[in-house]
């Protein structure tokens, strides 16, 4: 198993956001997390990536207990994520944004000088080649020097994924990657996620687009009110009466 959550509890004051949640992700699997608004999905991502520390329970990644570790340590160990709302540096170029995702792989002095004088970036051949690889993988080469804030939303979504990949994670966590995309962009995203899997990366995603989730995920965990109410392959999830009542029926 690459990732294991064991009996994770996370509360905010009187609100139980995640209640005694356990699930696991196999290496190179595409695992989907679904559930109604407020079910606790993003809180799960935040507990895995170190933004929140669970009140109880544990998170193990790649054989190591990562419960409560700081986000930058968890990134270094091989988990990268994107956010529900895009979080890029709008006044920087596409290359600089993706390079920023490599900070866990760079010498700090090099990274600092890079932020002050981004042109030095191209001199660091190994890092540049990695960034270039992800720019090409995401079909972004024509935008390499473009300022991110000026680009369409669908392109910014791809830049965010490229930036997450730039840290060369073992596990990529995507929070509603199809939100705001049109049908063509969503299909491109599906193809891209398969390509990412093909290079050996494990994928955990939240997605409200059920057609996309059912065609993409190999296994699905369903949450409601902070608890896991079902898990299984998409075909079984789609016909599970409890899931239909809690979530799919209301779509
Ligand atoms: P959505 O699909 O709308 O993004 P979600 O399934 O991701 O929802 P969470 O955002 O994890 O749900 O929220 C789960 C519960 O925890 C909600 O009741 C939410 O209001 C609460 N919650 C989440 N983060 C916080 C916080 N920082 N402070 C207080 N309550 C929070």
């Amino acid at each position: 198993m690459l990732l294991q959550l064991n009996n994770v509890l996370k509360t905010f004051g009187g609100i139980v956001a995640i209640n005694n949640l356990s699930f696991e992700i196999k290496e190179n699997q595409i695992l989907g997390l679904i559930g109604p608004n407020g079910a606790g999905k993003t809180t799960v991502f935040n507990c895995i990536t170190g933004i929140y520390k669970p009140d109880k329970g544990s998170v193990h990644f790649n054989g190591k207990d990562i419960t409560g570790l700081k986000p930058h340590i968890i990134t270094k160990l091989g988990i990268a994520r994107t956010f529900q709302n895009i979080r890029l540096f709008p006044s920087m170029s596409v290359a600089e944004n993706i390079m920023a995702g490599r900070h866990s792989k760079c010498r700090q002095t090099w990274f600092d000088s890079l932020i002050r004088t981004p042109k030095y970036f191209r001199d660091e051949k190994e890092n540049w080649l990695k960034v270039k690889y992800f720019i090409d993988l995401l079909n972004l080469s024509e935008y390499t020097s473009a300022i991110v804030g000026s680009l369409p939303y669908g392109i910014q979504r791809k830049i965010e994924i490229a930036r997450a990949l730039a840290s060369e994670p073992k596990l990529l966590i995507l929070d509603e990657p199809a939100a705001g995309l049109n049908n063509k962009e969503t299909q491109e995203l599906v193809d891209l996620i398969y390509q990412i899997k093909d290079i050996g990366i494990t994928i955990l995603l939240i997605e409200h687009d059920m057609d996309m989730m059912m065609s993409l995920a190999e296994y699905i965990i369903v949450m409601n009110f902070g608890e896991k109410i079902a898990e299984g392959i998409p075909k079984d999830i789609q016909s599970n009466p409890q899931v239909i009542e809690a979530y799919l029926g209301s779509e």
Side-chain angles (χ1 to χ4, degrees):
M1 288 301 159
L2 185 65
L3 185 89
Q4 273 176 308
L5 269 74
N6 295 306
N7 302 318
V8 170
L9 171 78
K10 178 67 193 166
T11 58
F12 299 101
I15 297 169
V16 181
I18 312 178
N19 195 9
N20 217 15
L21 182 72
S22 301
F23 69 86
E24 45 196 31
I25 309 178
K26 291 184 193 140
E27 197 134 353
N28 209 212
Q29 191 175 40
I30 301 178
L31 186 109
L33 190 56
I34 64 172
N37 291 334
K41 306 177 297 293
T42 299
T43 305
V44 171
F45 281 13
N46 287 333
C47 285
I48 295 171
T49 54
I51 292 176
Y52 298 144
K53 185 176 179 190
D55 300 347
K56 282 191 192 151
S58 65
V59 183
H60 283 78
F61 175 66
N62 213 13
K64 186 177 162 68
D65 186 349
I66 63 163
T67 321
L69 294 182
K70 296 265 184 288
H72 69 278
I73 305 285
I74 292 177
T75 305
K76 263 195 165 89
L77 291 172
I79 300 181
R81 76 177 287 183
T82 63
F83 291 87
Q84 211 169 335
N85 303 310
I86 292 177
R87 296 186 187 182
L88 292 166
F89 302 114
S91 59
M92 291 167 80
S93 72
V94 172
E96 287 160 357
N97 267 273
I98 297 172
M99 172 271 291
R102 266 193 87 67
H103 66 90
S104 63
K105 299 277 180 206
C106 298
R107 281 179 286 116
Q108 190 61 40
T109 48
W110 175 76
F111 188 71
D112 289 346
S113 69
L114 187 61
I115 290 296
R116 284 194 302 273
T117 7
K119 68 182 164 56
Y120 290 140
F121 182 49
R122 286 163 196 265
D123 298 337
E124 281 276 338
K125 198 162 176 210
E126 190 196 331
N127 280 307
W128 170 245
L129 287 177
K130 289 282 182 196
V131 169
K132 185 83 183 69
Y133 172 79
F134 291 114
I135 286 175
D136 291 343
L137 184 74
L138 277 281
N139 269 327
L140 291 168
S141 54
E142 67 182 290
Y143 306 106
T144 304
S145 308
I147 297 302
V148 161
S150 68
L151 294 171
Y153 185 80
I155 302 292
Q156 294 196 21
R157 277 259 170 233
K158 290 211 260 182
I159 299 165
E160 229 205 353
I161 295 176
R163 185 177 62 181
L165 288 172
S167 66
E168 296 179 83
K170 293 186 183 68
L171 174 65
L172 176 66
I173 298 183
L174 303 170
D175 197 343
E176 293 193 38
L181 301 187
N182 62 34
N183 287 346
K184 184 169 169 280
E185 289 168 334
T186 302
Q187 190 48 54
E188 271 175 26
L189 177 68
V190 169
D191 296 342
L192 173 72
I193 292 174
Y194 283 129
Q195 274 179 280
I196 295 170
K197 175 184 160 73
D198 284 348
I199 56 176
I201 296 173
T202 306
I203 292 153
L204 169 61
L205 82 155
I206 295 175
E207 188 48 69
H208 283 293
D209 180 334
M210 276 310 108
D211 291 340
M212 177 187 170
M213 185 59 110
M214 293 300 166
S215 67
L216 188 62
E218 294 158 346
Y219 199 78
I220 293 177
I221 308 286
V222 190
M223 290 181 72
N224 196 18
F225 296 116
E227 297 188 2
K228 181 170 72 181
I229 59 166
E231 66 178 296
I233 59 171
K235 187 169 69 64
D236 294 345
I237 292 298
Q238 268 172 312
S239 56
N240 180 316
Q242 218 187 337
V243 178
I244 292 169
E245 192 188 328
Y247 186 49
L248 296 177
S250 63
E251 283 294 286

